[in-house]
Amino acid sequence: MAIDTLPARESAPVAGVPASTASTLDALWDSLRADADDPARHLGEALVRRGLITPSQLSQALARQAGARPRRALGAMLVGDGILRQHQVDEAISDWLGVRVVDLHVLSPQAQALRLVPRNFAERESVLPLLLRDGHLVVALADAWNDRNVLKELRLLTSLEIVPVAAAPATLAPAIARAYRELEGGEAAQQRGVRELAEELARQPEPTLVNDVVAANESDSTLVLFINSLIADAIRLRASDIHVETGSAPDPVRIRLRIDGDLADHLQLPARYSFAIISRLKIMADLDIAEHRKPQDGKIDFARFGGPHVELRMVVVPTAHGMEDVVLRLLSGLRPIPLDRIDLRPATLAALREVIVKPYGLILICGPTGSGKTTTLHSVMREINNGKRKIWTAEDPVEITQAGLRQVQVNPRIGWTFAAAMRTFLRADPDVIMIGEMRDEETARIAVEASLTGHLVMSTLHTNSAAESIARLLEIGLDPFTFSDSLLAILAQRLVRRLCEHCRVHEPMPDDELQHLAELYVASGGAAGESREALLERWRREHGDDAGHVMRYRRVGCARCDGSGYHGRMGLHEFLGSDERLRELVRRRAPARDIVALAQSRGMPTLLQDGVEKMLAGQTDLSEVLAATNH
């Protein structure tokens, strides 16, 4: 009988039972394998196999036992006859029952086995990995056969067959502490990173597939470590997404990370690992590993696999030639940013704070996908989340969590849509309602009605500018009169990469470049903006050196920014507040250009103007601003 088909006996070790005499891991493995291949049918046979008695002694003892009245236990008879000592009988009984007890004082766990189970998991669950052999992981527990949940978690964590043994009393906790202390000390100087694990995988043979499922083998342990290290590496590098792209041989598995909005190659693996990597990720997300034709969605709680408390949203997309791609978005760990730290200009911040304290109305945050709209919404709610308002949110997914908010994950597949959530919220005594996105006329109409009946409603919209947001909502069917009455403000935004403050350099900007920048700035602001001469004078005053030269900042690259010259991202914003003149334009269904002209006549900085001001302050560069604002 193979090790992975060991019978799941329910017997548990008893305090005081002596440990197995196995003094090495090899001896322990040999004894486990022998027990599994041909288990003893009864205690007498187990005693003979251990060499404690001879077959002749067993036959004589059984004959005497059959004639004894009252019937005596075989072990007690052998001890009474002086053939065995009690501790020998106890040890044989524990092994025979399938509860091998090991003395952790004399066994030294394999470093390879320890690496498969993170220290925090081992300490929390009182489990010590001992040995990795032939696709099996031998682990010591306090209660080897009753810790069913722990065994299940270990199987999921490692993708290996788990062989449990029982630790001798009072040996487990100190052995765990000692083993991981020695492991961490030995690897402090050379910790295997994700690239080293990728190289190790490239040298190993092709993973075994059984019915499209990766079978447990020696390379799988490295694969598990590789994927855990990949996710940890992405967290360390501040990546927002991990892209795993597979293809038919000889094309390699390509892994890319999106960092600060840009997608960059991270590493590659041989094509033979395509199915193994996808299968492992599906297991982590509790998805169907045998399904290759349909897309699948799931989530990975990285803390379950020994990592930090980071949640990853996972989507599996079938591609050509029967292959699949995976995209992982890092979600958890995000916290709302204070409103005064999301890079709003002072005037914009003051205007936004003025409208978010109003008791009712509609506030919209607009921009393309990935422009930070949800982050800004949560910053706004953090500002007003003072315990005096009931705040309901409907999101897909819930990316940022806040204490005090009642957050709801919508699920369109069961009819739990944004519109359905809105209708439910209106019956649940809300003060503030946040809708993750206005995707259709029904959701937008309910939001407008709610904002006119005493509720502050906030949402996002996929549009390019504040003025275009009004035109878009009118196009999908909103009544211009009710919409104009409900609208409080629209904030449009983009994200640009922030220059690394540790390696950026600055130099005087050439005069022709400065003149061109001023022309671009004035043209963006319309005729009512500053004149070019007044603008240049202000720039020299606010951003110039002692000689009046306006500085130009550029990126260089260093270890802190991984050579890119950028570190982190920042927002560009334009704020359109509502007043009677704007409401009149909305009622007349005025084109977006008339709304833009009105906003600029009131001094609204455009996205480009906000970006240029932040560029001159050394926070970003012109190429980022022009790319983000489509100039």
Side-chain angles (χ1 to χ4, degrees), residues 115-181:
R115 292 190 193 103
L116 289 171
V117 180
R119 179 171 185 166
N120 58 355
F121 181 95
E123 292 177 338
R124 183 179 71 246
E125 304 295 346
S126 294
V127 56
L128 178 62
L130 293 175
L131 171 66
L132 176 65
R133 189 72 58 84
D134 297 339
H136 299 78
L137 181 65
V138 180
V139 297
L141 303 98
D143 189 349
W145 294 112
N146 291 328
D147 285 341
R148 297 297 181 186
N149 291 334
V150 176
L151 298 178
K152 183 178 179 181
E153 286 290 311
L154 283 169
R155 176 70 175 85
L156 179 64
L157 178 66
T158 64
S159 289
L160 297 167
E161 295 298 333
I162 306 302
V163 182
V165 297
T171 65
L172 184 56
I176 292 173
R178 181 176 63 252
Y180 281 96
R181 183 171 60 249

Side-chain angles (χ1 to χ4, degrees), residues 198-199 201-202 226 251-255 267-271 273 277:
E199 293 172 1
L201 281 175
F226 166 76
D251 295 338
V253 179
R254 187 183 184 194
I255 297 176
L267 49 83
Q268 295 182 350
L269 282 175
Y273 278 98
I277 290 174

Side-chain angles (χ1 to χ4, degrees), residues 328-364:
L328 299 161
R329 168 154 289 187
L330 283 71
L331 298 177
S332 294
L334 298 177
R335 293 294 180 265
I337 303 171
L339 196 59
D340 55 5
R341 290 176 51 196
I342 63 170
D343 307 304
L344 293 166
R345 292 163 61 131
T348 303
L349 176 60
L352 182 59
R353 278 177 163 158
E354 183 179 340
V355 299
I356 64 177
V357 296
K358 294 184 179 296
Y360 60 89
L362 179 63
I363 299 173
L364 298 174

Side-chain angles (χ1 to χ4, degrees), residues 321 398 502:
H321 310 298
V398 176
H502 293 88

